[in-house]
């Protein structure tokens, strides 16, 4: 397929989808804030003040700002259900919209509702997190290979960073992550939840056992693969168009305590992708627990910048390496371990690195705690906030490119479109379609 035609068709598909994330575009009679009955809900409350409305018109993309008529702050699922049902019953002549807003990391105003109602999902705290540590004869969980796995039931408005800290108290952790953990469960599950663990475990939507959903008519419905399966698979990755996720059952696994974190550079894109694909193949699937990569264009003093976090394997050779004026590709790897296994892990890492074709002088390694590794982007966030560089426009795009087209894609994009230094991240890494 011609890569330009491919990109155009894919981009149109992507943009037509993301413009409707987490919004119910029903036809309702228009209302005013004063006419909406607060008695229609339980312990939650509506906010009409200018500060609340202005905050609800912001997101991470920082490109669109549409103020709602009201912000709903739910305390329980019934608050959300009653609100949506109330709006639904108003009839077919209105154009009122409702949007669920998590931590507001959408890019194009998807969690905004112009002159409508924004539901502040982070306000939803009940029921709290509930861990299940093993099989239970009375459990109604799915009868599949994951039925005996530990899990945690969480609110759709809970942040993943909070889930990490709570499950670690029991020596457990979710299997699949996003790179940034200060996001809500409902937000990432409405999209996909993709990171460097996806090659093995699949995205976050592949690690959910059960959901509670508030539908567009205000019904509260439980669903799983076996119960209301069509709704279950529609909501996961459904861009908010099939209901609001109010509770999710997340599968867990034993948690490590430490991470060996590795970066190496390539100048040849073919060698870079070949090694990435080799590492996620079935015979090497357990070599590393996290595999990502990113593109670096004309970055001065690159390896010196890494030294604040990583240690070069060969400091002398690393000092002689020049990144100026070059397009380079970084392979980023992580191996989880517990301290008593450090000798074995070192041997395994050395063995698997010996099979790769990176530039030898660019091998950098470090050891950090599991929490420090998973929450690494938050550290960068704090630095950017201190410089006033976090709340800037983020015209980002995420694409899944077929393996058959990735080299044409790289030739056109990295060779022609992106030719100057870029301060924004350009991530590129493989995932297994079977996941």
């Amino acid at each position: 397929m011609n890569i330009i035609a491919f990109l155009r068709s894919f981009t149109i598909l992507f943009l037509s989808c993301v413009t409707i994330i987490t919004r119910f575009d029903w036809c309702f009679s228009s209302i005013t804030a004063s006419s909406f009955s607060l008695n229609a809900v339980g312990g939650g409350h509506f906010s009409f003040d200018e500060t609340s409305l202005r905050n609800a018109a912001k997101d991470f993309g920082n490109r669109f700002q549409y103020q709602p008529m009201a912000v709903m702050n739910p305390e329980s699922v019934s608050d959300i259900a009653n609100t949506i049902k109330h709006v639904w019953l108003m009839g077919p002549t209105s154009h009122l919209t409702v949007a669920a807003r998590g931590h507001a990391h959408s890019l194009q105003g998807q969690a905004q509702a112009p002159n409508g109602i924004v539901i502040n999902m982070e306000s939803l705290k009940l029921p709290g997190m509930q861990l299940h540590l093993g099989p239970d004869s009375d459990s109604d969980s799915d009868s599949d290979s994951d039925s005996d796995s530990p899990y945690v039931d969480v609110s759709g408005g809970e942040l993943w960073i909070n889930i990490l800290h709570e499950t670690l108290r029991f020596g457990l952790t979710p299997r699949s992550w996003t790179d940034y953990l200060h996001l809500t469960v409902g937000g990432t599950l409405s999209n996909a939840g993709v990171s460097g663990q996806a090659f093995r475990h699949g995205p976050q939507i592949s690690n959910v056992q059960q959901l509670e959903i508030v539908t567009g008519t205000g019904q509260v419905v439980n669903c799983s693969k076996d119960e209301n399966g069509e709704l279950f698979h529609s909501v996961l990755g459904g861009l908010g168009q099939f209901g609001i996720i109010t509770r999710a059952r997340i599968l867990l696994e034993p948690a490590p305590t430490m991470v060996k974190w590795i970066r190496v550079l390539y100048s040849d894109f073919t060698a870079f992708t070949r090694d990435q694909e080799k590492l996620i193949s079935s015979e090497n699937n357990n070599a590393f627990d996290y595999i990502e990569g990113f593109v670096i264009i004309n970055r001065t003093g690159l390896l010196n910048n890494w030294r604040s976090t990583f240690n070069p394997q060969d400091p002398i050779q690393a000092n002689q390496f020049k990144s100026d004026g070059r397009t380079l590709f970084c392979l980023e790897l992580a191996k989880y371990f517990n301290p008593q296994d450090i000798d074995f892990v070192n041997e395994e890492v050395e063995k698997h690195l010996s099979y790769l074709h990176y530039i030898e002088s660019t091998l950098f390694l470090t050891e950090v705690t599991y929490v420090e590794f998973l929450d690494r982007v938050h550290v960068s966030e704090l630095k950017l906030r201190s410089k006033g560089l976090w709340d800037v426009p983020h015209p980002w795009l995420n694409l899944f490119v077929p393996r058959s087209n990735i080299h044409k894609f790289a030739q056109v994009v990295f060779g022609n479109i992106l030719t100057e230094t870029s301060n924004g991240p350009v991530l590129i890494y493989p995932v297994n379609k079977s996941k």
Side-chain angles (χ1 to χ4, degrees):
M1 176 185 289
N2 180 280
I3 186 62
I4 297 298
F6 166 78
L7 281 174
R8 182 178 295 115
S9 64
F10 199 103
T11 301
I12 291 172
L13 172 64
F14 179 85
L15 293 178
S16 66
C17 289
V18 298
T19 54
I20 56 175
I21 295 177
T22 63
R23 180 175 302 157
F24 297 93
D25 287 322
W26 305 304
C27 291
F28 301 125
S29 58
S30 56
I31 61 174
T32 63
S34 59
S35 69
F36 197 96
S37 172
L38 295 182
N39 294 327
V41 299
H45 67 278
F46 285 92
S47 297
F48 303 101
D49 62 278
E50 186 63 26
T51 299
S52 297
L53 301 183
R54 191 164 50 247
N55 288 337
K58 297 178 180 178
D59 62 17
F60 183 68
N62 200 20
R63 299 171 63 224
F64 302 91
Q65 290 87 31
Y66 301 112
Q67 284 199 15
M69 178 196 69
V71 176
M72 171 63 198
N73 301 286
E75 286 189 2
S76 66
V77 175
S78 62
D79 291 338
I80 299 173
N82 289 338
T83 298
I84 292 179
K85 185 176 182 180
H86 183 90
V87 176
W88 170 257
L89 292 175
M90 293 179 63
T93 58
S94 165
H95 298 283
L96 186 68
T97 59
V98 178
R101 183 181 194 266
H103 208 57
H105 261 249
S106 55
L107 297 175
Q108 295 182 326
Q110 295 94 331
Q112 299 172 25
N115 297 314
I117 299 173
V118 168
I119 299 177
N120 175 21
M121 295 301 294
E122 288 191 86
S123 177
L124 180 65
K125 299 300 181 185
L126 298 175
M129 279 187 264
Q130 299 175 353
L131 262 75
H132 180 82
L133 302 180
D136 185 342
S137 59
D138 297 325
S139 173
D140 61 352
S141 59
D142 300 332
S143 56
D144 57 23
S145 59
D146 291 323
S147 60
D148 291 341
S149 298
Y151 61 78
V152 60
D153 286 329
V154 297
S155 160
E158 192 62 78
L159 296 180
W160 284 99
I161 184 65
N162 296 337
I163 298 171
L164 172 63
H165 288 302
E166 178 64 18
T167 55
L168 283 178
R169 293 177 53 229
F170 300 88
L172 297 169
T173 177
R175 303 171 177 181
S176 190
W177 295 98
T178 48
D179 285 341
Y180 180 68
L181 304 191
H182 296 251
L183 305 170
T184 61
V185 169
T188 65
L189 295 186
S190 293
N191 287 271
V194 180
S195 185
Q197 302 88 358
F199 76 94
R200 178 181 300 160
H201 298 294
Q204 289 179 324
I205 59 174
S206 297
N207 294 273
V208 179
Q209 202 170 55
Q210 193 179 92
L211 296 171
E212 178 186 75
I213 305 298
V214 176
T215 69
T217 58
Q219 291 181 296
V220 181
V221 180
N222 290 318
C223 57
S224 65
K225 293 178 182 177
D226 299 326
E227 179 186 11
N228 299 311
E230 187 175 9
L231 177 63
F232 180 74
H233 291 294
S234 297
V235 169
L236 291 172
L239 304 176
Q241 296 307 289
F242 300 92
I244 294 176
I245 298 172
T246 53
R247 183 180 59 82
R249 179 165 292 176
I250 309 298
L251 294 169
L252 305 174
E253 66 179 3
T257 58
M258 297 295 294
V259 174
K260 185 172 283 291
W261 189 5
I262 303 155
R263 284 181 179 175
V264 293
L265 288 176
Y266 294 74
S267 58
D268 179 66
F269 185 75
T270 298
F272 169 69
T273 55
R274 185 171 56 236
D275 280 356
Q276 282 190 320
E277 291 176 19
K278 180 191 302 181
L279 290 172
I280 71 166
S281 64
S282 57
E283 60 267 27
N284 294 297
N285 192 259
N286 292 318
F288 294 95
D289 299 288
Y290 162 99
I291 298 171
E292 283 199 10
F294 50 92
V295 185
I296 301 159
I297 301 172
N298 190 23
R299 191 67 57 84
T300 301
L302 173 66
L303 297 189
N304 284 333
N305 295 335
W306 283 4
R307 290 176 187 266
S308 62
T309 304
F310 296 86
N311 299 311
Q313 179 84 344
D314 188 328
I316 296 177
Q317 286 192 39
N319 285 336
Q320 297 171 352
F321 182 82
K322 302 297 181 184
S323 58
D324 306 38
R326 306 176 67 179
T327 297
L328 299 166
F329 307 94
C330 176
L331 174 61
E332 186 170 52
L333 308 167
K335 183 71 174 177
Y336 304 158
F337 68 97
N338 292 312
Q340 64 270 24
D341 303 320
I342 183 61
D343 291 338
F344 172 75
V345 168
N346 284 338
E347 292 177 4
E348 284 292 293
V349 167
E350 184 175 353
K351 178 182 73 174
H352 290 292
L353 286 177
S354 69
Y355 302 148
L356 305 181
H357 301 85
Y358 56 88
I359 303 170
E360 289 189 9
S361 61
T362 66
L363 174 58
F364 277 64
L365 309 93
T366 190
E367 292 178 12
V368 295
T369 67
Y370 183 61
V371 172
E372 287 173 332
F373 175 73
L374 290 181
D375 202 28
R376 62 196 179 280
V377 178
H378 183 55
V379 176
S380 299
E381 174 191 358
L382 296 177
K383 292 179 181 178
L384 290 171
R385 283 190 182 278
S386 69
K387 299 176 181 178
L389 297 176
W390 184 257
D391 295 319
V392 297
H394 296 102
W396 289 6
L397 180 69
N398 296 289
L399 295 172
F400 282 95
V401 181
R403 178 189 180 191
S404 58
N405 274 306
I406 190 61
H407 292 280
K408 293 180 181 178
F409 179 92
Q411 182 181 7
V412 171
V413 176
F414 308 138
N416 293 289
I417 298 176
L418 298 178
T419 57
E420 301 298 329
T421 302
S422 172
N423 289 324
V426 182
L427 305 183
I428 181 167
Y429 53 94
V431 294
N432 287 312
K433 286 199 295 184
S434 63
K435 298 297 184 178

